[in-house]
Amino acid sequence: MIEIQNLTKEYGKIKAVNDISFTVEKGEILGFLGPNGAGKSTTMNILTGYISSTSGTVKVAGYDILEDPVEVKKRIGYLPEQPPLYMDMTVNEYLNFCADLKSVPHKEWKSQKKDIMELVKISHVSHRLIKNLSKGYKQRVGLAQALIGTPDVLILDEPTVGLDPKQIIEIRKLIKALGKNHTIILSTHILPEVSAVCDRVVIINKGKIAAIDTPDNLSKMLSDFSRFTVTVAGPENKVKDILSHLYGVKYLETSGKLRDDEYSYIIEADKDVDVRKPMFNQLAQHGFPILELKSLNLSLEEIFIQLTTNEEKEAK
Amino acid sequence: MFAIMKRDFRSYFNSPIAYVVIGLFMFILALFFNDGLATGSSDFIGDFVGTMSFLLMFFVPILTMKSVAEEKKNGTEVLLLTSPARITEIVAGKFLAAFCVFLVMTAFSLIFPIILIITGKPDVPLILCSYLGFILYGAVFVSVGVFASSLTENQIVAAVIGFVSLFGLTAINFVASFFSGFLNKAFLWLSINDRYSDFGAGIIDITSIIFMLSFTVLFNFFTVRVLERKRWSQG
């Protein structure tokens, strides 16, 4: 659906986007992840035809953004980082204007407007001025705008930024639901968002792609051992002695003291050995109860930090 | 194009700007009208329409200052530029909206000639001819104002640029007086004011009409270029 090849955007000497290539299949939700200033918004602005690239090509449904900008723009609904709203219009007027702008036929528009307003839950504010809406509602109106004309592709730049936790969950659910009928590219610097809604992740750092994969694969790929944290009641040296002699344990470290004779430890073990059962038995035999046991799979946060800091080292 | 034109036109009347501009324009015009009647001039209509055009230099930039600048400031420019509408359509819509407000203003000013017609025997064809000139003159000014607005996201700056440009434009025949021979002729040829005063004198010259229309198209084209340049900007 979307093909991006060797995309580069230069601002003077700075390469905001540096030789990025990836494709997005129809019906896929792609997460675009990166720290602030990594080039996410720049890439999205190029995809939507707002700015041009220095080199490289972008094709949406087979149309080149430079050669057939109008055909591409017809197929894209875009929610920029700051929703493009006219504060002096009511929600109704605004959506009517956007439909006019996107030349949605009048007959279709009536039913479409109703559907969209129900989908993003703004029907009850349709007669209010946009400037009087809360941030969450403004975001929804922005999203409604992107949905007008049922575009094949939705490009959402940090759609959940500035919303309260409940709204974030609602918007994520909504995006997930939209993914059934639309191809979606979603940018964010919030990691749980990616694992919550995306089929695939592109991690971008300093204008370059650091990794592309599914959230699960990224997690697996980068960890070749299982890690967990365990809190045990008992003297540190004795517990450590027991733990370190378990089969498969590669690494052991005291990570904190909770109170007297209560310590938590981080254990790394071989991937194919489950050390948890013998650990429980051994500790129980010695009368040291386990208070807490939690597995520490490499979270996206860690992957993210690993990938982005590796890049920095390389750069140096 | 019509979507943008409709929205912009409404927005002028949703904010105080159109009312303030039209109200002040009418007020000052009324003072001149009153004064002109009291003193009695041999070329009353010419003077009156001259005053109107002079006022435009101040009022058009205030009217058009928000046209593009506000979109840039609020981030709604993205909406327009990523929509399937072409940049030429966007600019045409913006220009036509402001031009329509100008036409509304012009329509209000017709009250003065109507008073003349009711109370006296003015030269009606001359009035019509003057108004034709005035409308063309206004189109040029509005296109310059919208262009000025596209250069910045600050409305005040847009108004100042607009005013200075219009001042420069109207000062061309003054500049011409410093020169003689070819340069004098060249500047006079460029002078939109000279062509405008032809209309005030009752002369409808087809080249003047084309000249004013070309000027309008030219500045709208400049606006298109400014918006396109942003897309290609490397800096």
Side-chain angles (χ1 to χ4, degrees), chain A residues 234-245 252 254 261 263 265 288:
Chain A
E236 189 186 3
N237 51 351
K238 285 187 185 170
V239 174
K240 260 193 146 168
D241 191 48
I242 297 166
L243 292 178
S244 60
H245 284 93
L252 174 69
T254 314
D261 282 350
Y263 293 90
Y265 309 88
F288 300 140

Side-chain angles (χ1 to χ4, degrees), chain A residues 173-185:
Chain A
K173 266 190 195 158
L174 180 61
I175 292 171
K176 195 114 207 195
L178 290 170
K180 284 170 194 152
N181 299 318
H182 301 83
T183 305
I184 300 178
I185 297 184

Side-chain angles (χ1 to χ4, degrees), chain B residues 52-98:
Chain B
M52 273 175 42
S53 66
F54 176 72
L55 290 179
L56 277 191
M57 195 162 77
F58 302 95
F59 286 104
V60 166
I62 294 171
L63 182 70
T64 56
M65 67 182 181
K66 72 173 197 161
S67 179
V68 185
E70 195 184 39
E71 305 259 6
K72 288 190 178 192
K73 182 106 187 162
N74 290 343
T76 44
E77 191 195 18
V78 188
L79 180 72
L80 302 182
L81 293 179
T82 60
S83 79
R86 289 167 211 282
I87 294 182
T88 43
E89 293 177 82
I90 297 171
V91 172
K94 296 228 145 267
F95 165 77
L96 287 176

Side-chain angles (χ1 to χ4, degrees), chain B:
Chain B
M1 178 175 94
F2 290 108
I4 293 170
M5 176 182 155
K6 226 167 72 186
R7 197 213 76 82
D8 266 33
F9 184 72
R10 263 198 213 157
S11 142
Y12 282 118
F13 286 97
N14 279 342
S15 70
I17 222 108
Y19 302 103
V20 170
V21 167
I22 294 176
L24 265 180
F25 180 73
M26 288 299 287
F27 177 71
I28 296 174
L29 216 49
L31 291 183
F32 274 100
F33 184 71
N34 199 18
D35 196 49
L37 280 189
T39 51
S41 154
S42 57
D43 180 19
F44 182 70
I45 293 164
D47 285 355
F48 180 68
V49 181
T51 308
M52 273 175 42
S53 66
F54 176 72
L55 290 179
L56 277 191
M57 195 162 77
F58 302 95
F59 286 104
V60 166
I62 294 171
L63 182 70
T64 56
M65 67 182 181
K66 72 173 197 161
S67 179
V68 185
E70 195 184 39
E71 305 259 6
K72 288 190 178 192
K73 182 106 187 162
N74 290 343
T76 44
E77 191 195 18
V78 188
L79 180 72
L80 302 182
L81 293 179
T82 60
S83 79
R86 289 167 211 282
I87 294 182
T88 43
E89 293 177 82
I90 297 171
V91 172
K94 296 228 145 267
F95 165 77
L96 287 176
F99 184 62
C100 284
V101 178
F102 163 78
L103 286 183
V104 170
M105 192 167 96
T106 309
F108 271 108
S109 77
L110 280 173
I111 185 144
F112 300 114
I114 289 172
I115 292 174
L116 287 184
I117 290 168
I118 293 170
T119 56
K121 283 201 184 86
D123 186 348
V124 177
L126 179 65
I127 293 175
L128 292 179
C129 179
S130 305
Y131 262 87
L132 173 68
F134 181 67
I135 288 169
L136 289 168
Y137 192 73
V140 174
F141 272 36
V142 169
S143 69
V144 173
V146 173
F147 169 67
S149 180
S150 74
L151 294 174
T152 165
E153 58 177 47
N154 184 320
Q155 296 191 25
I156 307 294
V157 173
V160 172
I161 295 174
F163 170 72
V164 171
S165 318
L166 292 179
F167 184 77
L169 210 56
T170 48
I172 286 179
N173 48 356
F174 177 67
V175 174
S177 64
F178 288 111
F179 299 100
S180 57
F182 172 73
L183 275 177
N184 176 278
K185 270 188 184 162
F187 276 113
L188 281 182
W189 185 84
L190 268 174
S191 165
I192 156 166
N193 267 37
D194 266 20
R195 292 184 186 261
Y196 175 57
S197 39
D198 281 355
F199 286 98
I203 306 162
I204 298 182
D205 184 353
I206 192 78
T207 55
S208 293
I209 295 177
I210 292 171
F211 180 84
M212 298 246 204
L213 290 178
S214 318
F215 231 103
T216 308
V217 172
L218 182 71
F219 271 95
N220 278 322
F221 173 71
F222 286 159
T223 311
V224 171
R225 298 300 303 172
V226 169
L227 292 184
E228 266 176 3
R229 195 196 62 194
K230 149 132 203 170
R231 205 180 152 202
W232 296 98
S233 124
Q234 305 278 322

